[in-house]
Amino acid sequence: MSRAFPELAASRHAEAVAVAAAAADDLPPGRTSAPEEVATFGALLLTAAVAAAEMGEGREALRRAERTDPGRLPAVLLERRSTLLIDMARAQHMRRDTAAAGETLIEAERIAPLEVRYSGAARGLLGELLSAGRPAAGLREMADSLNLAA
C-alpha cells in the first residue's frame, strides 16, 4: 500500500487521505460493477481510513470505512474484509464506542481468524477493549483463542 501511496509511507497522512478519498469518489461501485472495481474502491477507502485513523481522526476514518460493505468484496479477499473491520473497530474505539468496536472486532475474527491472530493492531485493540471493562460478549473467548492474557 505504501508504494502506491508514497504520502502514507512518508507520514503525510492528510495528503494520503485526500488522494485515496478523491480516487474512491471517482470510482463508486454500482450494482453491475465488476469484482475488481469493487475491490479497488474498497482498497482506496481502506487506505483513506487507515491514514485517517493514524492521524487520530476516528470520525473521518469511520465515515470513509462505512462507505464500503465488506461483504461485497470478493470472497478471495477475506483478509481485506477483516483488515477493513479491524480498522473500523480501531476508529470506533477512538471515538470511545467500545461496544461497537468489540462487535466489529468479533466480526473481523469471524471472517478471517488468522488475519486477526497475526495483526498487531487487532491484538492491541483486543487488549485495550478487555481492560476498558465490560467487554462485548465473545472478546474474552477471542483472547483465550489468541492466548492473550485477559
Side-chain angles (χ1 to χ4, degrees), residues 102-126:
E103 292 170 13
T104 303
L105 188 59
I106 289 168
E107 178 68 10
E109 201 258 346
R110 186 190 65 74
I111 288 172
L114 292 177
E115 187 70 20
V116 172
R117 174 176 293 279
Y118 296 108
S119 166
R123 295 170 70 90
L125 175 60
L126 177 58

mmCIF file of all heavy atoms in Angstrom, residues 102-126:
data_model
loop_
_atom_site.group_PDB
_atom_site.id
_atom_site.type_symbol
_atom_site.label_atom_id
_atom_site.label_comp_id
_atom_site.label_asym_id
_atom_site.label_seq_id
_atom_site.Cartn_x
_atom_site.Cartn_y
_atom_site.Cartn_z
ATOM 1 N N GLY A 102 -15.921 -3.663 19.880
ATOM 2 C CA GLY A 102 -15.866 -5.085 20.219
ATOM 3 C C GLY A 102 -16.635 -5.938 19.229
ATOM 4 O O GLY A 102 -16.136 -6.971 18.759
ATOM 5 N N GLU A 103 -17.831 -5.513 18.890
ATOM 6 C CA GLU A 103 -18.634 -6.262 17.932
ATOM 7 C C GLU A 103 -17.967 -6.312 16.557
ATOM 8 O O GLU A 103 -17.975 -7.347 15.885
ATOM 9 C CB GLU A 103 -20.029 -5.641 17.816
ATOM 10 C CG GLU A 103 -20.859 -5.814 19.070
ATOM 11 C CD GLU A 103 -22.139 -4.989 19.050
ATOM 12 O OE1 GLU A 103 -22.520 -4.477 17.976
ATOM 13 O OE2 GLU A 103 -22.744 -4.857 20.125
ATOM 14 N N THR A 104 -17.374 -5.202 16.144
ATOM 15 C CA THR A 104 -16.710 -5.153 14.843
ATOM 16 C C THR A 104 -15.472 -6.031 14.843
ATOM 17 O O THR A 104 -15.206 -6.736 13.859
ATOM 18 C CB THR A 104 -16.363 -3.693 14.478
ATOM 19 O OG1 THR A 104 -17.566 -2.914 14.485
ATOM 20 C CG2 THR A 104 -15.721 -3.603 13.101
ATOM 21 N N LEU A 105 -14.717 -6.037 15.927
ATOM 22 C CA LEU A 105 -13.531 -6.891 16.019
ATOM 23 C C LEU A 105 -13.933 -8.367 15.997
ATOM 24 O O LEU A 105 -13.268 -9.188 15.364
ATOM 25 C CB LEU A 105 -12.731 -6.558 17.277
ATOM 26 C CG LEU A 105 -11.371 -7.227 17.406
ATOM 27 C CD1 LEU A 105 -10.465 -6.866 16.225
ATOM 28 C CD2 LEU A 105 -10.718 -6.834 18.719
ATOM 29 N N ILE A 106 -15.015 -8.697 16.654
ATOM 30 C CA ILE A 106 -15.518 -10.080 16.636
ATOM 31 C C ILE A 106 -15.903 -10.482 15.215
ATOM 32 O O ILE A 106 -15.619 -11.600 14.773
ATOM 33 C CB ILE A 106 -16.694 -10.245 17.617
ATOM 34 C CG1 ILE A 106 -16.178 -10.183 19.056
ATOM 35 C CG2 ILE A 106 -17.457 -11.541 17.356
ATOM 36 C CD1 ILE A 106 -17.255 -10.048 20.109
ATOM 37 N N GLU A 107 -16.533 -9.579 14.488
ATOM 38 C CA GLU A 107 -16.894 -9.852 13.095
ATOM 39 C C GLU A 107 -15.641 -10.074 12.244
ATOM 40 O O GLU A 107 -15.603 -10.973 11.404
ATOM 41 C CB GLU A 107 -17.731 -8.708 12.525
ATOM 42 C CG GLU A 107 -18.110 -8.862 11.077
ATOM 43 C CD GLU A 107 -19.077 -9.993 10.798
ATOM 44 O OE1 GLU A 107 -19.634 -10.590 11.748
ATOM 45 O OE2 GLU A 107 -19.290 -10.296 9.616
ATOM 46 N N ALA A 108 -14.606 -9.267 12.465
ATOM 47 C CA ALA A 108 -13.343 -9.434 11.729
ATOM 48 C C ALA A 108 -12.756 -10.815 11.999
ATOM 49 O O ALA A 108 -12.268 -11.485 11.077
ATOM 50 C CB ALA A 108 -12.352 -8.339 12.126
ATOM 51 N N GLU A 109 -12.811 -11.246 13.245
ATOM 52 C CA GLU A 109 -12.262 -12.549 13.613
ATOM 53 C C GLU A 109 -13.099 -13.682 13.032
ATOM 54 O O GLU A 109 -12.573 -14.712 12.614
ATOM 55 C CB GLU A 109 -12.189 -12.656 15.135
ATOM 56 C CG GLU A 109 -11.208 -13.690 15.626
ATOM 57 C CD GLU A 109 -11.861 -14.979 16.068
ATOM 58 O OE1 GLU A 109 -13.083 -15.016 16.248
ATOM 59 O OE2 GLU A 109 -11.126 -15.960 16.228
ATOM 60 N N ARG A 110 -14.398 -13.484 12.937
ATOM 61 C CA ARG A 110 -15.278 -14.499 12.348
ATOM 62 C C ARG A 110 -14.958 -14.686 10.865
ATOM 63 O O ARG A 110 -14.918 -15.792 10.362
ATOM 64 C CB ARG A 110 -16.749 -14.099 12.519
ATOM 65 C CG ARG A 110 -17.740 -15.171 12.056
ATOM 66 C CD ARG A 110 -19.158 -14.663 12.006
ATOM 67 N NE ARG A 110 -19.374 -13.630 11.019
ATOM 68 C CZ ARG A 110 -19.428 -13.831 9.688
ATOM 69 N NH1 ARG A 110 -19.241 -15.038 9.201
ATOM 70 N NH2 ARG A 110 -19.642 -12.838 8.858
ATOM 71 N N ILE A 111 -14.690 -13.590 10.174
ATOM 72 C CA ILE A 111 -14.436 -13.623 8.733
ATOM 73 C C ILE A 111 -13.062 -14.212 8.416
ATOM 74 O O ILE A 111 -12.927 -15.036 7.508
ATOM 75 C CB ILE A 111 -14.551 -12.200 8.148
ATOM 76 C CG1 ILE A 111 -15.999 -11.768 8.124
ATOM 77 C CG2 ILE A 111 -13.947 -12.127 6.753
ATOM 78 C CD1 ILE A 111 -16.197 -10.323 7.745
ATOM 79 N N ALA A 112 -12.041 -13.788 9.119
ATOM 80 C CA ALA A 112 -10.662 -14.226 8.840
ATOM 81 C C ALA A 112 -9.886 -14.339 10.144
ATOM 82 O O ALA A 112 -9.143 -13.432 10.512
ATOM 83 C CB ALA A 112 -9.988 -13.262 7.870
ATOM 84 N N PRO A 113 -10.047 -15.451 10.852
ATOM 85 C CA PRO A 113 -9.412 -15.600 12.162
ATOM 86 C C PRO A 113 -7.888 -15.422 12.142
ATOM 87 O O PRO A 113 -7.329 -14.834 13.064
ATOM 88 C CB PRO A 113 -9.773 -17.026 12.594
ATOM 89 C CG PRO A 113 -10.841 -17.480 11.680
ATOM 90 C CD PRO A 113 -10.829 -16.617 10.473
ATOM 91 N N LEU A 114 -7.239 -15.898 11.099
ATOM 92 C CA LEU A 114 -5.775 -15.767 11.053
ATOM 93 C C LEU A 114 -5.334 -14.324 10.876
ATOM 94 O O LEU A 114 -4.291 -13.921 11.391
ATOM 95 C CB LEU A 114 -5.191 -16.642 9.946
ATOM 96 C CG LEU A 114 -5.296 -18.148 10.182
ATOM 97 C CD1 LEU A 114 -4.742 -18.912 8.988
ATOM 98 C CD2 LEU A 114 -4.598 -18.558 11.472
ATOM 99 N N GLU A 115 -6.124 -13.546 10.151
ATOM 100 C CA GLU A 115 -5.790 -12.123 9.974
ATOM 101 C C GLU A 115 -5.791 -11.421 11.329
ATOM 102 O O GLU A 115 -4.919 -10.627 11.629
ATOM 103 C CB GLU A 115 -6.791 -11.465 9.023
ATOM 104 C CG GLU A 115 -6.440 -10.070 8.649
ATOM 105 C CD GLU A 115 -5.223 -9.970 7.738
ATOM 106 O OE1 GLU A 115 -4.865 -10.961 7.083
ATOM 107 O OE2 GLU A 115 -4.613 -8.893 7.711
ATOM 108 N N VAL A 116 -6.779 -11.736 12.160
ATOM 109 C CA VAL A 116 -6.859 -11.137 13.495
ATOM 110 C C VAL A 116 -5.743 -11.691 14.380
ATOM 111 O O VAL A 116 -5.086 -10.937 15.097
ATOM 112 C CB VAL A 116 -8.252 -11.378 14.124
ATOM 113 C CG1 VAL A 116 -8.287 -10.938 15.576
ATOM 114 C CG2 VAL A 116 -9.324 -10.661 13.314
ATOM 115 N N ARG A 117 -5.503 -12.979 14.288
ATOM 116 C CA ARG A 117 -4.473 -13.615 15.116
ATOM 117 C C ARG A 117 -3.105 -12.968 14.912
ATOM 118 O O ARG A 117 -2.369 -12.743 15.870
ATOM 119 C CB ARG A 117 -4.382 -15.106 14.813
ATOM 120 C CG ARG A 117 -3.229 -15.808 15.533
ATOM 121 C CD ARG A 117 -3.218 -17.301 15.298
ATOM 122 N NE ARG A 117 -4.355 -17.958 15.891
ATOM 123 C CZ ARG A 117 -4.446 -18.299 17.183
ATOM 124 N NH1 ARG A 117 -3.458 -18.038 18.009
ATOM 125 N NH2 ARG A 117 -5.525 -18.900 17.641
ATOM 126 N N TYR A 118 -2.767 -12.645 13.674
ATOM 127 C CA TYR A 118 -1.431 -12.128 13.380
ATOM 128 C C TYR A 118 -1.384 -10.619 13.187
ATOM 129 O O TYR A 118 -0.354 -10.081 12.811
ATOM 130 C CB TYR A 118 -0.849 -12.857 12.162
ATOM 131 C CG TYR A 118 -0.650 -14.322 12.462
ATOM 132 C CD1 TYR A 118 -1.470 -15.278 11.882
ATOM 133 C CD2 TYR A 118 0.322 -14.726 13.369
ATOM 134 C CE1 TYR A 118 -1.306 -16.623 12.190
ATOM 135 C CE2 TYR A 118 0.486 -16.070 13.682
ATOM 136 C CZ TYR A 118 -0.327 -17.019 13.088
ATOM 137 O OH TYR A 118 -0.170 -18.340 13.407
ATOM 138 N N SER A 119 -2.465 -9.947 13.477
ATOM 139 C CA SER A 119 -2.499 -8.488 13.372
ATOM 140 C C SER A 119 -2.158 -7.870 14.722
ATOM 141 O O SER A 119 -2.914 -8.022 15.696
ATOM 142 C CB SER A 119 -3.888 -8.022 12.921
ATOM 143 O OG SER A 119 -4.028 -6.635 13.114
ATOM 144 N N GLY A 120 -1.055 -7.158 14.751
ATOM 145 C CA GLY A 120 -0.684 -6.470 15.981
ATOM 146 C C GLY A 120 -1.727 -5.441 16.382
ATOM 147 O O GLY A 120 -2.007 -5.268 17.577
ATOM 148 N N ALA A 121 -2.323 -4.785 15.382
ATOM 149 C CA ALA A 121 -3.360 -3.783 15.667
ATOM 150 C C ALA A 121 -4.569 -4.431 16.318
ATOM 151 O O ALA A 121 -5.132 -3.905 17.287
ATOM 152 C CB ALA A 121 -3.766 -3.055 14.391
ATOM 153 N N ALA A 122 -4.972 -5.596 15.800
ATOM 154 C CA ALA A 122 -6.143 -6.287 16.353
ATOM 155 C C ALA A 122 -5.857 -6.780 17.771
ATOM 156 O O ALA A 122 -6.696 -6.636 18.672
ATOM 157 C CB ALA A 122 -6.551 -7.443 15.456
ATOM 158 N N ARG A 123 -4.693 -7.343 17.967
ATOM 159 C CA ARG A 123 -4.338 -7.856 19.291
ATOM 160 C C ARG A 123 -4.233 -6.714 20.311
ATOM 161 O O ARG A 123 -4.688 -6.835 21.441
ATOM 162 C CB ARG A 123 -3.045 -8.652 19.223
ATOM 163 C CG ARG A 123 -3.183 -9.925 18.383
ATOM 164 C CD ARG A 123 -1.849 -10.587 18.118
ATOM 165 N NE ARG A 123 -1.283 -11.189 19.313
ATOM 166 C CZ ARG A 123 -1.506 -12.450 19.698
ATOM 167 N NH1 ARG A 123 -2.267 -13.231 18.967
ATOM 168 N NH2 ARG A 123 -0.953 -12.914 20.796
ATOM 169 N N GLY A 124 -3.643 -5.610 19.895
ATOM 170 C CA GLY A 124 -3.549 -4.452 20.785
ATOM 171 C C GLY A 124 -4.917 -3.895 21.142
ATOM 172 O O GLY A 124 -5.195 -3.567 22.293
ATOM 173 N N LEU A 125 -5.779 -3.800 20.116
ATOM 174 C CA LEU A 125 -7.137 -3.314 20.355
ATOM 175 C C LEU A 125 -7.894 -4.248 21.283
ATOM 176 O O LEU A 125 -8.581 -3.793 22.202
ATOM 177 C CB LEU A 125 -7.886 -3.161 19.030
ATOM 178 C CG LEU A 125 -9.354 -2.765 19.136
ATOM 179 C CD1 LEU A 125 -9.516 -1.423 19.847
ATOM 180 C CD2 LEU A 125 -9.993 -2.735 17.755
ATOM 181 N N LEU A 126 -7.743 -5.540 21.076
ATOM 182 C CA LEU A 126 -8.410 -6.510 21.938
ATOM 183 C C LEU A 126 -7.987 -6.310 23.393
ATOM 184 O O LEU A 126 -8.830 -6.274 24.292
ATOM 185 C CB LEU A 126 -8.102 -7.933 21.472
ATOM 186 C CG LEU A 126 -8.678 -9.061 22.319
ATOM 187 C CD1 LEU A 126 -10.197 -8.961 22.429
ATOM 188 C CD2 LEU A 126 -8.263 -10.408 21.732
#
